Amino acid sequence: MRRLSLVVLAVVAAFVAGLASFLIVKGRAVQPEFSEPVSSTADYRIKEVHIQEAAGGNLRWRLDADRAEVFEQEGKTSMQKVTVTILEPERTWTVTAEEGELFDATKDVELRKNVVLSSSDGLRLETDTLRWDAKGRRVWTDDPVTLVRNNAVLRGRGLEAWMAEERTRVKGRLRVTIHKERSVPVSLFGVAPEAS
């Protein structure tokens, strides 16, 4: 769970830093129009958003979204089909969501609808909403969560992660399922072992 806290922090930091600077500043300079009719009251609309950060010549994270809309009056930026990829030396993390919002004044973030966080080493978190409280450095959801790792599945109702303390808590009544691995005959040199 400690690793999950660090990952969520990295995702949110990437989301806030990149999105705030790119969408607001660049959105004012260039205002691409959608090819399809739009009934939005957004001040700026950007199609196919791609933001990335590199350090020391290495890519650290990348944010992609089908589109983004900046609402200056409400002080928020909304995105559709969001994917955040975080590249670490030992693994890669990916977070996807149907929708996301960044609140400019607080730098709080909310990801909604089919939120999935997965790592290249097999950890997967699924929920409907994931929120970031920038001031409190806390990630949380009150929605049902499913954590999957190897043969174990953990389900609960809600999750909180405190970045400063590197602590994560799955809330509600927990249900853990451990799947026993099936015994599969091993083939050596193309010959299956005989049953005894």
Side-chain angles (χ1 to χ4, degrees):
M1 289 299 166
R2 178 179 176 189
R3 192 72 182 143
L4 180 61
S5 297
L6 294 175
V7 170
V8 175
L9 171 63
V11 169
V12 173
F15 191 82
V16 171
L19 189 62
S21 62
F22 180 80
L23 291 179
I24 293 172
V25 174
K26 298 290 184 185
R28 290 180 181 164
V30 179
Q31 297 182 35
E33 293 297 319
F34 294 123
S35 57
E36 65 271 4
V38 178
S39 61
S40 172
T41 59
D43 296 300
Y44 308 104
R45 290 181 287 280
I46 302 170
K47 189 173 183 178
E48 294 184 18
V49 176
H50 306 286
I51 306 168
Q52 63 185 23
E53 178 184 291
N58 296 321
L59 185 63
R60 293 180 57 196
W61 59 266
R62 180 176 62 238
L63 181 141
D64 299 299
D66 281 2
R67 68 179 186 221
E69 297 180 331
V70 178
F71 299 87
E72 288 186 335
Q73 290 277 116
E74 293 96 1
K76 69 178 182 179
T77 300
S78 297
M79 294 182 298
Q80 301 293 317
K81 303 284 185 190
V82 181
T83 302
V84 179
T85 305
I86 301 161
L87 303 161
E88 295 180 331
E90 65 278 357
R91 73 185 54 84
T92 301
W93 298 91
T94 304
V95 181
T96 59
E98 295 293 317
E99 301 174 351
E101 286 187 333
L102 166 67
F103 299 94
D104 301 333
T106 60
K107 303 302 182 218
D108 292 348
V109 176
E110 181 176 302
L111 297 174
R112 291 183 304 274
K113 296 184 182 175
N114 302 317
V115 180
V116 177
L117 181 146
S118 58
S119 71
S120 59
D121 63 354
L123 177 67
R124 183 176 173 93
L125 166 71
E126 299 172 2
T127 189
D128 289 328
T129 307
L130 195 60
R131 295 176 182 94
W132 165 250
D133 168 22
K135 184 177 180 182
R137 299 189 64 209
R138 179 177 69 107
V139 174
W140 87 96
T141 183
D142 292 324
D143 294 329
V145 294
T146 302
L147 286 163
V148 180
R149 180 76 183 236
N150 298 327
N151 296 328
V153 178
L154 171 69
R155 289 184 175 89
R157 178 132 188 114
L159 174 132
E160 286 185 280
W162 295 268
M163 301 306 126
E165 301 164 20
E166 296 182 359
R167 182 172 56 103
T168 301
R169 177 178 71 164
V170 177
K171 302 185 295 185
R173 185 176 180 146
L174 301 182
R175 180 177 176 187
V176 178
T177 306
I178 300 174
H179 299 281
K180 182 178 176 184
E181 288 190 49
R182 295 184 181 142
S183 177
V184 178
V186 178
S187 173
L188 299 175
F189 306 111
V191 180
E194 294 179 25
S196 45

